[in-house]
Amino acid sequence: MAIEATDLNFEELVLSSDKPVLLDFWAEWCGPCRMITPIVNELATEYEGKALVAKMDVDSSPSTSVKYGIRSIPTILFFKNGEVVDKQVGAVPKTTLAAKLDALL
């Protein structure tokens, strides 16, 4: 299961992580977001110990979404050493997200 990131824990959870991070910006009302939620949760299980997989609700944590210019969801940002190193906008197959994560390991 993906970890829930918020405006409050974002810096500690994502920016300070010593592992690569996949951060899914989503909202409950977003159909494509709901479509990729099972994929994100599967990746969280498969990459446990190797990478951090988290989700951030744009409605309940608007500050981080604004800071990173999230204009459409789902948007997935990939972080390494506290920096955004890759981005995926829209619902994509699991293999696409896994390949992006693998490139950061």
Side-chain angles (χ1 to χ4, degrees), residues 25-31 33-34 55-59 73-74:
F25 289 87
W26 73 289
E28 188 65 44
W29 48 264
C30 166
C33 298
R34 289 195 308 270
K55 296 175 68 64
M56 180 175 283
D57 187 323
V58 297
D59 292 331
I73 50 174

Side-chain angles (χ1 to χ4, degrees), residues 71-84:
R71 303 225 183 286
S72 60
I73 50 174
T75 291
I76 296 176
L77 296 183
F78 296 84
F79 291 82
K80 188 164 186 172
N81 300 322
E83 300 290 325
V84 176

